[in-house]
Each structure stands twice: as C-alpha cells, then as structure tokens.
Amino acid sequence: MNTSDRDQADRVNHFDQAAATWDDKPERVAVMKTLSEAILRNAQPSPETDVFDYGCGTGLVSLFLLPHVRSVTGADNSPGMLEVLRRKIAESSLENMKVVQLDLQHDDVPADRYHLIVTSMAMHHIADTDRVLRAFHTLLHPGGTLCITDLDTEPGIFHDPKSAESVYHHGFDRDELARQLKAIGFAQVDATTAHVLRRPVADGSEHDFSLFLITARCS
C-alpha cells in the first residue's frame, strides 16, 4: 500500500470509528436538516426524482429528502457509516432507498443515472475533487441538478485535531468552485449561503463558519 492509499484508508477508518455515535450530536443533526431544507428549496425535486447522495454518511440528508422524491441511493466509502444507514433503512422498511459502498476517486462510475446529486459537507474530505465532480457530471441525466453544500474557505480551525486528520481542504472559494464546474460542463451555476454555524474552536473562542450551497445543471 502506497502512502496515498494508506492515508485514504486512515480517513475511512476515522469515519468507521465515528459511525456508531455520529447522530448523537444534536448540532450536527440540526445543521444537516438545515442544509437539506436549502437543497429542497433550490433544487425543487419532484416525486419522479431519483437522487444520488454522495458521502451520505448515516443518511441525515438522504432520509430528509426521501419523502419528497422517488428514490435515493446513498453512497459512501465508509463501511461503518453505511452499516448504520442500512439499519435505519431496514428498521423503517424503506423500499425506495438503497446504499452502495463507493469511492469515486478510485472506483469506476456506476452505470445508473440520476436527476439530482447531492453531496453535503463531504467535499472537503476528498483529495481529488476534480475527478469526483467529473463523475457527478457523468452520473446525471442531461438537465439534472448537482447540489454541493460545504464550508466557505476557513483558516483550518473548523475541525478538532482528531477530525482534521480526515480533511484535505479548509473549505472552498465559491467562485473557484463555480469556474471548475463550468469547465467540466455544468451550466447555470449558482451559489448561496445555506447556513452560518457558530461553534467553539480549539482556543476556546467561538467562530462563525459560513456554509454554501452551489447548484449546477448538467448540460
């Protein structure tokens, strides 16, 4: 295993270890609900919409969107996170949701196509964002919508030292990300502030972090 693969394995292991208690933080659940509401307002999915949620984790966004769409496929590279989500699906007998273990940085793009792709607070954990964004473009039906929610550029204080081991990007510049999406072939790229989160940081102070929602159409 080379250094890059070892680093990736360590990051997956971090989320595997955190999976069992991931939903125990009310703040995390509330933030993901707020981001889900922003996605619904801006993407306006219909009962005929098939959704692909990349970096779905324990399904906090997937399960919020599910009543509003035809189906949701949750994808993540963490077996631990997916196991938690599988239990939720089984316990609620959700026939219109499934999960797949997938790492679009390394795996082939699946054959299925979707009307809406969402990825929420996941991109900053992805090293090769260009490859993943190109995979999203392939996975969308023509005219489909991509929704990305993540951190605006921040000074590297959002994550605690343990969580920071799984981070590749300290947020993103909206304009740079928009240019990247347009270069790949997306159109109608729009950005808005989805939420401002105030939280304590390592030095004991509190800091406001802006979370954006970027929507883009697959042309």
Side-chain angles (χ1 to χ4, degrees):
M1 182 181 292
N2 61 37
T3 301
S4 177
D5 289 340
R6 188 179 300 109
D7 288 346
Q8 180 65 18
D10 289 343
R11 286 169 170 81
V12 172
N13 187 53
H14 163 76
F15 287 105
D16 287 342
Q17 293 176 353
T21 58
W22 191 256
D23 295 355
D24 290 352
K25 291 186 176 181
E27 175 196 82
R28 175 178 288 141
V29 175
V31 168
M32 300 309 276
K33 179 178 183 291
T34 298
L35 297 181
S36 300
E37 291 169 340
I39 290 170
L40 282 179
R41 287 194 304 272
N42 286 270
Q44 299 184 339
S46 77
E48 303 304 313
T49 298
D50 295 315
V51 179
F52 182 76
D53 181 3
Y54 188 69
C56 64
T58 62
L60 293 175
V61 171
S62 293
L63 293 169
F64 186 91
L65 298 178
L66 190 61
H68 305 276
V69 300
R70 178 164 59 189
S71 71
V72 176
T73 298
D76 205 291
N77 65 349
S78 165
M81 290 285 184
L82 293 178
E83 181 56 33
V84 173
L85 181 50
R86 285 191 182 96
R87 286 201 300 268
K88 293 181 181 181
I89 293 171
E91 288 167 0
S92 299
S93 300
L94 302 175
E95 297 182 356
N96 57 338
M97 185 171 182
K98 65 179 182 180
V99 301
V100 294
Q101 186 173 337
L102 182 68
D103 182 351
L104 288 173
Q105 294 183 97
H106 302 98
D107 299 336
D108 293 335
V109 177
D112 293 335
R113 297 295 177 261
Y114 302 90
H115 305 102
L116 173 63
I117 293 177
V118 301
T119 183
S120 303
M121 299 299 286
M123 292 297 289
H124 60 266
H125 296 291
I126 295 171
D128 192 350
T129 56
D130 187 72
R131 179 176 175 130
V132 172
L133 293 174
R134 290 181 185 278
F136 290 162
H137 192 269
T138 301
L139 282 163
L140 280 168
H141 288 297
T145 302
L146 170 65
C147 290
I148 302 172
T149 60
D150 216 300
L151 288 157
D152 283 300
T153 304
E154 54 93 10
I157 60 174
F158 181 81
H159 296 87
D160 60 51
K162 183 177 180 180
S163 299
E165 297 174 359
S166 69
V167 174
Y168 285 101
H169 310 277
H170 298 308
F172 297 91
D173 181 278
R174 300 183 193 188
D175 293 336
E176 290 181 4
L177 188 52
R179 286 192 291 271
Q180 186 178 7
L181 290 166
K182 291 175 182 176
I184 289 169
F186 286 97
Q188 300 177 40
V189 181
D190 295 301
T192 187
T193 299
H195 186 54
V196 177
L197 173 62
R198 187 168 185 82
R199 63 185 295 179
V201 295
D203 67 2
S205 63
E206 291 195 339
H207 190 87
D208 287 335
F209 297 93
S210 176
L211 310 182
F212 64 77
L213 166 63
I214 285 184
T215 59
R217 297 285 181 181
C218 180
S219 54

